[in-house]
Amino acid sequence: MTTAPPAPASTEPKNSLDRFFEISKRGSTIGTEIRGGLVTFVTMAYIVILNPIILSGKPDVAGNMLEFNAVGAATALTAGVMTILFGLVTRLPFGFAAGLGINAFVAFSVVGQVTWPEAMALVMINGVVIVLLAATGLRKAIFDAVPFQLKIAITVGIGLFIAFIGFVNSGFVTATGASSPPVGLGVNGSVATVPTLLFVITLLLTGILVALKIKGGMLIGLIGGTVLAVIVEAIWHIGARGFDDEGNVVNPGGWGLTVPALNGSPVGVPDLSLIGAVDFSFDLSKVSLVAIVMIVFTLLFTNFFDAMGTMTGLAKEANLADDNGDFPRIKSALVVEGVGAIAGGATSSSSSTVFIESGAGIGEGARTGLANVVTGVVFLIAMFLTPLTSIVPTEIAAAALIIVGAMMMAQIRYIDFSDFRVLLPVFLTVSVMPLTYSIANGIGAGFVSWVLIHAFSGKAKTISPLLWVVGAGFLIFFARGPIEALFGVGI
């Protein structure tokens, strides 16, 4: 007697919530979306701590600085609002928060020329330009001009980038301080700290759960690792790793950004004093117009291509992209991403953009904007519960990033490497991203090499005119240092 195979799950919407977010249509469930949203938040939560570390305490040209708690509250507020907005408008599971790289550029370069309110005004201007490019369809046209192989390479490169971030955040990979090798394993070539050991344990535990296809495996791994970290900290009081006034490492075996322990009240009133603290009245006697243009140009290129690459990679990982890399409501997604830059500038939390860590929630099964709503709501709650947010150590969250990086790496199987015109640009895209710690740099290396290699090997007619323009733009982007020096601009 043979048993009939189980009937496929119905894709018919079960209720209005299901219909709006297309949950059943995408093969998901409300429970899966909630788990995915929570996992995305757990892997993104570090930004509420890291962004204030990057932005606060840095004097601008007037000697003013941003206050840590105010930046933290603004970061959580902006991440919550933008993540929910993106989920509702696009129905996609891509979380939003202050973009790494952009915030560092603002903190360490831009405020050397302008005040903090002026710097955030420039971030807003960058966002307005992005919105206009997206609304007119030019951003989508540039996206369409990218060859299929480079879109896949961007996905794979982001996967390696995510994994590299995880390895660094966990202390598994560290800077050696030498020219060769520049990085090494742990401390003096070994896993020598308890936080890094707990990262390894969490990574293996999560990997086993995912391999067994346990529902909620990634979330279970993250929670289990966090609980273990809290117990270890309570027993051995490892404490935080830091630096003294001379820049020497203090307590090198300690936790990175966050210590898994709750001290004091878990609840606090958020400081939202930075909302609206922007200034568009630039003093051209102190900063040249050329300097302002170059700042906006750098912000635009980084924001534009980081987000495009990230969304491509996440859509591929979620099986929401077609063969050309297009995904549902792509134009709306590109517009809202520009709004994120405007919102980030308006709250002085730096440009808010799509986060590659969203891949952790996608790996958990998130396929719709409902996961975003969950992530965003928890971010809004985190404004009041910053101490609880900081309990999850970056070493534990890093394990999820490695798992996601491995998943995204699998996309490389769709590329045919028999043509060296394809092989080299793909290789440069994939390798430059993690090695330079920049998605935009990897995309730029891929675009420029694709154009030049095809142009000088008899395939110039296959290159889209827009790709020529973008390639030229990236050449300017890569050469912006000499260009700034030529015009006497010190950014």
Side-chain angles (χ1 to χ4, degrees):
M1 178 178 178
T2 59
T3 302
S10 173
T11 59
E12 290 298 318
K14 299 176 176 62
N15 49 52
S16 57
L17 183 69
D18 189 343
R19 184 177 299 104
F20 180 80
F21 286 111
E22 302 175 346
I23 298 172
S24 295
K25 182 179 179 181
R26 296 183 186 178
S28 185
T29 66
I30 292 177
T32 299
E33 294 302 306
I34 292 174
R35 285 199 308 271
L38 291 174
V39 167
T40 294
F41 170 78
V42 169
T43 56
M44 289 177 61
Y46 72 88
I47 196 64
V48 179
I49 306 298
L50 180 57
N51 201 41
I53 289 175
I54 294 174
L55 295 181
S56 66
K58 310 295 188 302
D60 60 17
V61 291
N64 298 316
M65 297 182 289
L66 302 182
E67 199 272 326
F68 187 96
N69 289 337
V71 176
T75 300
L77 173 64
T78 309
V81 172
M82 286 307 308
T83 298
I84 293 173
L85 177 64
F86 190 84
L88 293 175
V89 173
T90 70
R91 287 37 155 212
L92 296 169
F94 305 167
F96 268 62
L100 295 174
I102 296 177
N103 55 4
F105 175 68
V106 172
F108 297 105
S109 299
V110 177
V111 295
Q113 298 291 308
V114 297
T115 65
W116 275 109
E118 289 172 338
M120 293 304 168
L122 291 174
V123 172
M124 292 184 69
I125 293 173
N126 151 66
V128 171
V129 175
I130 290 176
V131 169
L132 292 175
L133 290 174
T136 57
L138 183 57
R139 193 176 187 185
K140 175 64 166 58
I142 294 174
F143 181 86
D144 290 339
V146 179
F148 166 77
Q149 296 93 330
L150 285 184
K151 289 178 180 177
I152 295 294
I154 290 169
T155 301
V156 176
I158 290 173
L160 291 181
F161 183 37
I162 289 175
F164 191 52
I165 290 174
F167 283 127
V168 172
N169 287 352
S170 67
F172 193 82
V173 171
T174 56
T176 62
S179 58
S180 181
V183 294
L185 173 65
V187 179
N188 297 322
S190 64
V191 177
T193 70
V194 173
T196 302
L197 176 60
L198 292 179
F199 153 76
V200 174
I201 293 173
T202 304
L203 174 61
L204 294 176
L205 171 63
T206 307
I208 292 170
L209 293 172
V210 172
L212 292 174
K213 302 186 185 303
I214 302 296
K215 287 188 176 181
M218 199 171 299
L219 181 58
I220 294 171
L222 289 171
I223 293 175
T226 300
V227 171
L228 183 59
V230 170
I231 294 172
V232 168
E233 176 62 24
I235 296 174
W236 283 290
H237 305 289
I238 297 171
R241 182 174 66 250
F243 299 89
D244 59 20
D245 295 337
E246 283 74 39
N248 300 313
V249 179
V250 178
N251 189 24
W255 302 96
L257 292 175
T258 57
V259 177
L262 180 60
N263 298 311
S265 173
V267 181
V269 178
D271 180 356
L272 301 178
S273 60
L274 290 177
I275 296 178
V278 294
D279 183 6
F280 290 91
S281 59
F282 303 102
D283 187 350
L284 296 182
S285 65
K286 295 181 180 179
V287 57
S288 69
L289 183 60
V290 174
I292 291 176
V293 171
M294 287 306 298
I295 290 172
V296 174
F297 179 83
T298 303
L299 287 170
L300 180 63
F301 253 72
T302 303
N303 215 149
F304 188 106
F305 288 101
D306 268 16
M308 187 186 77
T310 301
M311 284 193 278
T312 300
L314 293 176
K316 280 287 185 183
E317 181 61 25
N319 293 320
L320 296 175
D322 61 21
D323 292 341
N324 294 320
D326 292 337
F327 50 87
R329 301 179 181 86
I330 185 172
K331 183 174 182 179
S332 298
L334 297 174
V335 171
V336 176
E337 196 279 326
V339 174
I342 299 173
T347 57
S348 292
S349 60
S350 185
S351 177
S352 183
T353 186
V354 61
F355 245 54
I356 53 179
E357 283 81 353
S358 305
I362 291 173
E364 187 59 40
R367 293 294 180 270
T368 79
L370 179 58
N372 260 37
V373 174
V374 173
T375 303
V377 168
V378 181
F379 261 119
L380 295 180
I381 295 173
M383 287 195 302
F384 302 90
L385 301 172
T386 302
L388 283 180
T389 305
S390 64
I391 284 182
V392 182
T394 53
E395 290 85 354
I396 300 302
L401 302 185
I402 308 301
I403 299 293
V404 172
M407 291 176 174
M408 297 181 74
M409 178 72 183
Q411 296 287 336
I412 202 167
R413 67 185 184 274
Y414 297 116
I415 301 179
D416 180 2
F417 290 114
S418 59
D419 187 347
F420 195 77
R421 297 183 186 92
V422 172
L423 174 59
L424 185 58
V426 166
F427 173 76
L428 290 175
T429 302
V430 171
S431 60
V432 169
M433 279 190 200
L435 293 178
T436 65
Y437 232 61
S438 168
I439 295 173
N441 286 347
I443 295 175
F447 282 17
V448 172
S449 60
W450 182 282
V451 169
L452 294 179
I453 290 173
H454 279 72
F456 289 98
S457 63
K459 296 289 184 178
K461 292 182 179 179
T462 65
I463 305 171
S464 163
L466 273 177
L467 204 60
W468 278 102
V469 174
V470 174
F474 266 116
L475 285 177
I476 297 173
F477 177 76
F478 287 136
R480 65 189 184 279
I483 292 174
E484 291 159 3
L486 180 64
F487 286 96
V489 181
I491 300 180

mmCIF file of all heavy atoms in Angstrom, residues 410-448:
data_model
loop_
_atom_site.group_PDB
_atom_site.id
_atom_site.type_symbol
_atom_site.label_atom_id
_atom_site.label_comp_id
_atom_site.label_asym_id
_atom_site.label_seq_id
_atom_site.Cartn_x
_atom_site.Cartn_y
_atom_site.Cartn_z
ATOM 1 N N ALA A 410 26.533 30.499 -1.144
ATOM 2 C CA ALA A 410 26.034 29.447 -2.030
ATOM 3 C C ALA A 410 25.569 29.985 -3.378
ATOM 4 O O ALA A 410 25.498 29.231 -4.360
ATOM 5 C CB ALA A 410 24.896 28.698 -1.338
ATOM 6 N N GLN A 411 25.254 31.284 -3.455
ATOM 7 C CA GLN A 411 24.764 31.863 -4.707
ATOM 8 C C GLN A 411 25.789 31.820 -5.830
ATOM 9 O O GLN A 411 25.445 31.925 -7.017
ATOM 10 C CB GLN A 411 24.347 33.324 -4.460
ATOM 11 C CG GLN A 411 23.194 33.501 -3.505
ATOM 12 C CD GLN A 411 21.869 33.103 -4.113
ATOM 13 O OE1 GLN A 411 21.710 33.107 -5.327
ATOM 14 N NE2 GLN A 411 20.911 32.737 -3.267
ATOM 15 N N ILE A 412 27.067 31.644 -5.479
ATOM 16 C CA ILE A 412 28.125 31.692 -6.498
ATOM 17 C C ILE A 412 27.983 30.556 -7.511
ATOM 18 O O ILE A 412 28.536 30.613 -8.612
ATOM 19 C CB ILE A 412 29.517 31.646 -5.823
ATOM 20 C CG1 ILE A 412 30.576 32.230 -6.763
ATOM 21 C CG2 ILE A 412 29.879 30.228 -5.382
ATOM 22 C CD1 ILE A 412 31.898 32.510 -6.081
ATOM 23 N N ARG A 413 27.209 29.530 -7.173
ATOM 24 C CA ARG A 413 27.039 28.385 -8.081
ATOM 25 C C ARG A 413 26.307 28.770 -9.359
ATOM 26 O O ARG A 413 26.333 28.015 -10.343
ATOM 27 C CB ARG A 413 26.277 27.264 -7.371
ATOM 28 C CG ARG A 413 24.828 27.568 -7.028
ATOM 29 C CD ARG A 413 24.226 26.422 -6.206
ATOM 30 N NE ARG A 413 22.802 26.606 -5.910
ATOM 31 C CZ ARG A 413 22.343 27.291 -4.874
ATOM 32 N NH1 ARG A 413 23.197 27.887 -4.039
ATOM 33 N NH2 ARG A 413 21.042 27.401 -4.655
ATOM 34 N N TYR A 414 25.674 29.933 -9.394
ATOM 35 C CA TYR A 414 24.925 30.349 -10.576
ATOM 36 C C TYR A 414 25.791 31.082 -11.610
ATOM 37 O O TYR A 414 25.289 31.500 -12.655
ATOM 38 C CB TYR A 414 23.767 31.257 -10.166
ATOM 39 C CG TYR A 414 22.749 30.565 -9.296
ATOM 40 C CD1 TYR A 414 22.539 30.976 -7.983
ATOM 41 C CD2 TYR A 414 21.997 29.498 -9.778
ATOM 42 C CE1 TYR A 414 21.603 30.347 -7.172
ATOM 43 C CE2 TYR A 414 21.061 28.851 -8.978
ATOM 44 C CZ TYR A 414 20.877 29.286 -7.675
ATOM 45 O OH TYR A 414 19.962 28.658 -6.876
ATOM 46 N N ILE A 415 27.061 31.277 -11.312
ATOM 47 C CA ILE A 415 27.939 32.007 -12.230
ATOM 48 C C ILE A 415 28.805 31.036 -13.021
ATOM 49 O O ILE A 415 29.411 30.114 -12.462
ATOM 50 C CB ILE A 415 28.846 32.997 -11.454
ATOM 51 C CG1 ILE A 415 28.000 34.003 -10.672
ATOM 52 C CG2 ILE A 415 29.774 33.747 -12.418
ATOM 53 C CD1 ILE A 415 28.821 34.983 -9.863
ATOM 54 N N ASP A 416 28.900 31.258 -14.343
ATOM 55 C CA ASP A 416 29.763 30.474 -15.218
ATOM 56 C C ASP A 416 31.114 31.198 -15.300
ATOM 57 O O ASP A 416 31.206 32.315 -15.815
ATOM 58 C CB ASP A 416 29.125 30.364 -16.605
ATOM 59 C CG ASP A 416 29.987 29.554 -17.562
ATOM 60 O OD1 ASP A 416 31.042 29.047 -17.141
ATOM 61 O OD2 ASP A 416 29.597 29.438 -18.741
ATOM 62 N N PHE A 417 32.165 30.546 -14.801
ATOM 63 C CA PHE A 417 33.484 31.183 -14.744
ATOM 64 C C PHE A 417 34.373 30.825 -15.933
ATOM 65 O O PHE A 417 35.578 31.066 -15.886
ATOM 66 C CB PHE A 417 34.195 30.780 -13.445
ATOM 67 C CG PHE A 417 33.584 31.388 -12.208
ATOM 68 C CD1 PHE A 417 32.978 30.582 -11.265
ATOM 69 C CD2 PHE A 417 33.621 32.750 -11.997
ATOM 70 C CE1 PHE A 417 32.415 31.128 -10.118
ATOM 71 C CE2 PHE A 417 33.061 33.306 -10.862
ATOM 72 C CZ PHE A 417 32.462 32.499 -9.914
ATOM 73 N N SER A 418 33.800 30.272 -16.975
ATOM 74 C CA SER A 418 34.620 29.855 -18.120
ATOM 75 C C SER A 418 35.169 31.054 -18.899
ATOM 76 O O SER A 418 36.155 30.913 -19.629
ATOM 77 C CB SER A 418 33.812 28.957 -19.047
ATOM 78 O OG SER A 418 32.649 29.637 -19.533
ATOM 79 N N ASP A 419 34.543 32.230 -18.779
ATOM 80 C CA ASP A 419 34.990 33.442 -19.477
ATOM 81 C C ASP A 419 35.743 34.328 -18.488
ATOM 82 O O ASP A 419 35.181 34.785 -17.493
ATOM 83 C CB ASP A 419 33.781 34.188 -20.047
ATOM 84 C CG ASP A 419 34.181 35.365 -20.930
ATOM 85 O OD1 ASP A 419 35.375 35.761 -20.902
ATOM 86 O OD2 ASP A 419 33.298 35.908 -21.627
ATOM 87 N N PHE A 420 37.016 34.606 -18.780
ATOM 88 C CA PHE A 420 37.826 35.407 -17.846
ATOM 89 C C PHE A 420 37.316 36.842 -17.755
ATOM 90 O O PHE A 420 37.568 37.518 -16.754
ATOM 91 C CB PHE A 420 39.297 35.405 -18.279
ATOM 92 C CG PHE A 420 40.222 35.883 -17.195
ATOM 93 C CD1 PHE A 420 40.567 35.055 -16.139
ATOM 94 C CD2 PHE A 420 40.744 37.178 -17.221
ATOM 95 C CE1 PHE A 420 41.413 35.499 -15.125
ATOM 96 C CE2 PHE A 420 41.581 37.628 -16.222
ATOM 97 C CZ PHE A 420 41.921 36.783 -15.165
ATOM 98 N N ARG A 421 36.594 37.308 -18.780
ATOM 99 C CA ARG A 421 35.995 38.645 -18.703
ATOM 100 C C ARG A 421 34.999 38.716 -17.542
ATOM 101 O O ARG A 421 34.751 39.793 -17.001
ATOM 102 C CB ARG A 421 35.266 38.975 -20.005
ATOM 103 C CG ARG A 421 36.121 39.061 -21.250
ATOM 104 C CD ARG A 421 35.249 39.467 -22.437
ATOM 105 N NE ARG A 421 35.976 39.430 -23.698
ATOM 106 C CZ ARG A 421 36.022 38.366 -24.494
ATOM 107 N NH1 ARG A 421 35.395 37.258 -24.144
ATOM 108 N NH2 ARG A 421 36.698 38.417 -25.628
ATOM 109 N N VAL A 422 34.410 37.587 -17.225
ATOM 110 C CA VAL A 422 33.473 37.496 -16.104
ATOM 111 C C VAL A 422 34.211 37.170 -14.814
ATOM 112 O O VAL A 422 33.949 37.758 -13.756
ATOM 113 C CB VAL A 422 32.396 36.422 -16.385
ATOM 114 C CG1 VAL A 422 31.532 36.183 -15.143
ATOM 115 C CG2 VAL A 422 31.538 36.831 -17.563
ATOM 116 N N LEU A 423 35.149 36.250 -14.897
ATOM 117 C CA LEU A 423 35.840 35.761 -13.707
ATOM 118 C C LEU A 423 36.525 36.872 -12.917
ATOM 119 O O LEU A 423 36.342 36.983 -11.694
ATOM 120 C CB LEU A 423 36.869 34.698 -14.112
ATOM 121 C CG LEU A 423 37.784 34.181 -12.994
ATOM 122 C CD1 LEU A 423 36.975 33.565 -11.870
ATOM 123 C CD2 LEU A 423 38.780 33.162 -13.550
ATOM 124 N N LEU A 424 37.324 37.708 -13.590
ATOM 125 C CA LEU A 424 38.095 38.711 -12.852
ATOM 126 C C LEU A 424 37.212 39.766 -12.183
ATOM 127 O O LEU A 424 37.391 40.044 -10.987
ATOM 128 C CB LEU A 424 39.121 39.375 -13.770
ATOM 129 C CG LEU A 424 40.058 40.365 -13.067
ATOM 130 C CD1 LEU A 424 40.814 39.685 -11.934
ATOM 131 C CD2 LEU A 424 41.034 41.000 -14.061
ATOM 132 N N PRO A 425 36.240 40.382 -12.885
ATOM 133 C CA PRO A 425 35.374 41.353 -12.193
ATOM 134 C C PRO A 425 34.600 40.737 -11.025
ATOM 135 O O PRO A 425 34.432 41.378 -9.984
ATOM 136 C CB PRO A 425 34.417 41.820 -13.302
ATOM 137 C CG PRO A 425 35.169 41.606 -14.566
ATOM 138 C CD PRO A 425 35.956 40.361 -14.331
ATOM 139 N N VAL A 426 34.145 39.493 -11.199
ATOM 140 C CA VAL A 426 33.436 38.817 -10.109
ATOM 141 C C VAL A 426 34.374 38.613 -8.933
ATOM 142 O O VAL A 426 34.020 38.869 -7.771
ATOM 143 C CB VAL A 426 32.850 37.471 -10.582
ATOM 144 C CG1 VAL A 426 32.412 36.617 -9.397
ATOM 145 C CG2 VAL A 426 31.679 37.712 -11.521
ATOM 146 N N PHE A 427 35.588 38.153 -9.226
ATOM 147 C CA PHE A 427 36.568 37.926 -8.160
ATOM 148 C C PHE A 427 36.883 39.223 -7.416
ATOM 149 O O PHE A 427 36.960 39.240 -6.178
ATOM 150 C CB PHE A 427 37.849 37.333 -8.750
ATOM 151 C CG PHE A 427 38.970 37.233 -7.756
ATOM 152 C CD1 PHE A 427 38.973 36.240 -6.792
ATOM 153 C CD2 PHE A 427 40.013 38.152 -7.767
ATOM 154 C CE1 PHE A 427 40.002 36.147 -5.860
ATOM 155 C CE2 PHE A 427 41.045 38.077 -6.849
ATOM 156 C CZ PHE A 427 41.043 37.073 -5.884
ATOM 157 N N LEU A 428 37.061 40.310 -8.158
ATOM 158 C CA LEU A 428 37.368 41.592 -7.517
ATOM 159 C C LEU A 428 36.195 42.074 -6.664
ATOM 160 O O LEU A 428 36.381 42.578 -5.556
ATOM 161 C CB LEU A 428 37.708 42.635 -8.587
ATOM 162 C CG LEU A 428 39.032 42.427 -9.323
ATOM 163 C CD1 LEU A 428 39.194 43.460 -10.440
ATOM 164 C CD2 LEU A 428 40.205 42.523 -8.352
ATOM 165 N N THR A 429 34.990 41.922 -7.179
ATOM 166 C CA THR A 429 33.805 42.327 -6.403
ATOM 167 C C THR A 429 33.737 41.570 -5.086
ATOM 168 O O THR A 429 33.546 42.155 -4.018
ATOM 169 C CB THR A 429 32.522 42.062 -7.209
ATOM 170 O OG1 THR A 429 32.569 42.779 -8.440
ATOM 171 C CG2 THR A 429 31.291 42.506 -6.426
ATOM 172 N N VAL A 430 33.903 40.255 -5.167
ATOM 173 C CA VAL A 430 33.765 39.401 -3.983
ATOM 174 C C VAL A 430 34.888 39.641 -2.984
ATOM 175 O O VAL A 430 34.652 39.662 -1.772
ATOM 176 C CB VAL A 430 33.729 37.915 -4.414
ATOM 177 C CG1 VAL A 430 33.822 36.998 -3.208
ATOM 178 C CG2 VAL A 430 32.462 37.626 -5.207
ATOM 179 N N SER A 431 36.106 39.836 -3.459
ATOM 180 C CA SER A 431 37.248 39.929 -2.548
ATOM 181 C C SER A 431 37.456 41.333 -1.978
ATOM 182 O O SER A 431 37.843 41.480 -0.814
ATOM 183 C CB SER A 431 38.525 39.474 -3.259
ATOM 184 O OG SER A 431 38.787 40.274 -4.402
ATOM 185 N N VAL A 432 37.186 42.361 -2.778
ATOM 186 C CA VAL A 432 37.449 43.724 -2.313
ATOM 187 C C VAL A 432 36.493 44.146 -1.195
ATOM 188 O O VAL A 432 36.876 44.895 -0.292
ATOM 189 C CB VAL A 432 37.383 44.716 -3.498
ATOM 190 C CG1 VAL A 432 37.394 46.170 -3.010
ATOM 191 C CG2 VAL A 432 38.563 44.476 -4.445
ATOM 192 N N MET A 433 35.249 43.652 -1.229
ATOM 193 C CA MET A 433 34.286 44.029 -0.180
ATOM 194 C C MET A 433 34.807 43.732 1.219
ATOM 195 O O MET A 433 34.923 44.642 2.055
ATOM 196 C CB MET A 433 32.952 43.334 -0.411
ATOM 197 C CG MET A 433 32.063 44.003 -1.429
ATOM 198 S SD MET A 433 30.411 43.265 -1.412
ATOM 199 C CE MET A 433 29.842 43.787 -3.037
ATOM 200 N N PRO A 434 35.125 42.470 1.544
ATOM 201 C CA PRO A 434 35.597 42.209 2.900
ATOM 202 C C PRO A 434 36.983 42.775 3.178
ATOM 203 O O PRO A 434 37.264 43.217 4.306
ATOM 204 C CB PRO A 434 35.601 40.672 2.989
ATOM 205 C CG PRO A 434 35.710 40.204 1.584
ATOM 206 C CD PRO A 434 34.969 41.217 0.771
ATOM 207 N N LEU A 435 37.858 42.778 2.180
ATOM 208 C CA LEU A 435 39.228 43.223 2.412
ATOM 209 C C LEU A 435 39.325 44.719 2.656
ATOM 210 O O LEU A 435 40.254 45.183 3.336
ATOM 211 C CB LEU A 435 40.120 42.821 1.225
ATOM 212 C CG LEU A 435 40.344 41.313 1.057
ATOM 213 C CD1 LEU A 435 41.196 41.024 -0.167
ATOM 214 C CD2 LEU A 435 40.985 40.721 2.308
ATOM 215 N N THR A 436 38.399 45.509 2.090
ATOM 216 C CA THR A 436 38.403 46.959 2.322
ATOM 217 C C THR A 436 37.306 47.391 3.281
ATOM 218 O O THR A 436 37.149 48.566 3.562
ATOM 219 C CB THR A 436 38.239 47.727 1.002
ATOM 220 O OG1 THR A 436 36.950 47.454 0.439
ATOM 221 C CG2 THR A 436 39.331 47.351 0.009
ATOM 222 N N TYR A 437 36.508 46.412 3.764
ATOM 223 C CA TYR A 437 35.422 46.683 4.707
ATOM 224 C C TYR A 437 34.413 47.649 4.119
ATOM 225 O O TYR A 437 33.887 48.532 4.785
ATOM 226 C CB TYR A 437 35.988 47.243 6.021
ATOM 227 C CG TYR A 437 35.507 46.504 7.255
ATOM 228 C CD1 TYR A 437 35.780 45.149 7.412
ATOM 229 C CD2 TYR A 437 34.805 47.140 8.259
ATOM 230 C CE1 TYR A 437 35.364 44.462 8.533
ATOM 231 C CE2 TYR A 437 34.381 46.460 9.392
ATOM 232 C CZ TYR A 437 34.664 45.115 9.514
ATOM 233 O OH TYR A 437 34.240 44.432 10.629
ATOM 234 N N SER A 438 34.119 47.485 2.816
ATOM 235 C CA SER A 438 33.204 48.413 2.148
ATOM 236 C C SER A 438 32.495 47.718 0.998
ATOM 237 O O SER A 438 33.148 47.185 0.089
ATOM 238 C CB SER A 438 33.953 49.630 1.620
ATOM 239 O OG SER A 438 33.142 50.393 0.749
ATOM 240 N N ILE A 439 31.161 47.719 1.029
ATOM 241 C CA ILE A 439 30.388 47.168 -0.080
ATOM 242 C C ILE A 439 30.585 48.022 -1.323
ATOM 243 O O ILE A 439 30.740 47.512 -2.437
ATOM 244 C CB ILE A 439 28.901 47.090 0.292
ATOM 245 C CG1 ILE A 439 28.695 46.092 1.438
ATOM 246 C CG2 ILE A 439 28.052 46.673 -0.911
ATOM 247 C CD1 ILE A 439 27.279 46.058 1.984
ATOM 248 N N ALA A 440 30.583 49.348 -1.157
ATOM 249 C CA ALA A 440 30.732 50.251 -2.297
ATOM 250 C C ALA A 440 32.054 50.041 -3.010
ATOM 251 O O ALA A 440 32.114 50.058 -4.248
ATOM 252 C CB ALA A 440 30.608 51.703 -1.838
ATOM 253 N N ASN A 441 33.131 49.824 -2.266
ATOM 254 C CA ASN A 441 34.438 49.597 -2.897
ATOM 255 C C ASN A 441 34.420 48.333 -3.746
ATOM 256 O O ASN A 441 34.974 48.300 -4.857
ATOM 257 C CB ASN A 441 35.531 49.478 -1.833
ATOM 258 C CG ASN A 441 35.886 50.809 -1.206
ATOM 259 O OD1 ASN A 441 35.508 51.866 -1.715
ATOM 260 N ND2 ASN A 441 36.597 50.768 -0.098
ATOM 261 N N GLY A 442 33.783 47.274 -3.231
ATOM 262 C CA GLY A 442 33.711 46.034 -3.987
ATOM 263 C C GLY A 442 32.899 46.184 -5.256
ATOM 264 O O GLY A 442 33.294 45.697 -6.321
ATOM 265 N N ILE A 443 31.767 46.868 -5.145
ATOM 266 C CA ILE A 443 30.934 47.096 -6.327
ATOM 267 C C ILE A 443 31.700 47.934 -7.350
ATOM 268 O O ILE A 443 31.690 47.651 -8.549
ATOM 269 C CB ILE A 443 29.618 47.782 -5.938
ATOM 270 C CG1 ILE A 443 28.775 46.842 -5.061
ATOM 271 C CG2 ILE A 443 28.821 48.183 -7.183
ATOM 272 C CD1 ILE A 443 27.517 47.484 -4.524
ATOM 273 N N GLY A 444 32.372 48.961 -6.874
ATOM 274 C CA GLY A 444 33.139 49.827 -7.765
ATOM 275 C C GLY A 444 34.234 49.076 -8.491
ATOM 276 O O GLY A 444 34.429 49.246 -9.697
ATOM 277 N N ALA A 445 34.967 48.235 -7.768
ATOM 278 C CA ALA A 445 36.038 47.453 -8.387
ATOM 279 C C ALA A 445 35.472 46.532 -9.462
ATOM 280 O O ALA A 445 36.059 46.369 -10.540
ATOM 281 C CB ALA A 445 36.778 46.642 -7.327
ATOM 282 N N GLY A 446 34.306 45.951 -9.172
ATOM 283 C CA GLY A 446 33.681 45.072 -10.154
ATOM 284 C C GLY A 446 33.209 45.818 -11.382
ATOM 285 O O GLY A 446 33.429 45.382 -12.521
ATOM 286 N N PHE A 447 32.559 46.965 -11.168
ATOM 287 C CA PHE A 447 32.041 47.753 -12.290
ATOM 288 C C PHE A 447 33.165 48.248 -13.191
ATOM 289 O O PHE A 447 33.107 48.106 -14.421
ATOM 290 C CB PHE A 447 31.251 48.952 -11.763
ATOM 291 C CG PHE A 447 29.866 48.613 -11.289
ATOM 292 C CD1 PHE A 447 29.495 47.309 -11.010
ATOM 293 C CD2 PHE A 447 28.923 49.611 -11.096
ATOM 294 C CE1 PHE A 447 28.224 46.993 -10.572
ATOM 295 C CE2 PHE A 447 27.637 49.312 -10.660
ATOM 296 C CZ PHE A 447 27.291 48.004 -10.389
ATOM 297 N N VAL A 448 34.177 48.859 -12.600
ATOM 298 C CA VAL A 448 35.267 49.440 -13.394
ATOM 299 C C VAL A 448 35.995 48.346 -14.178
ATOM 300 O O VAL A 448 36.272 48.496 -15.374
ATOM 301 C CB VAL A 448 36.249 50.207 -12.482
ATOM 302 C CG1 VAL A 448 37.484 50.629 -13.279
ATOM 303 C CG2 VAL A 448 35.572 51.432 -11.883
#
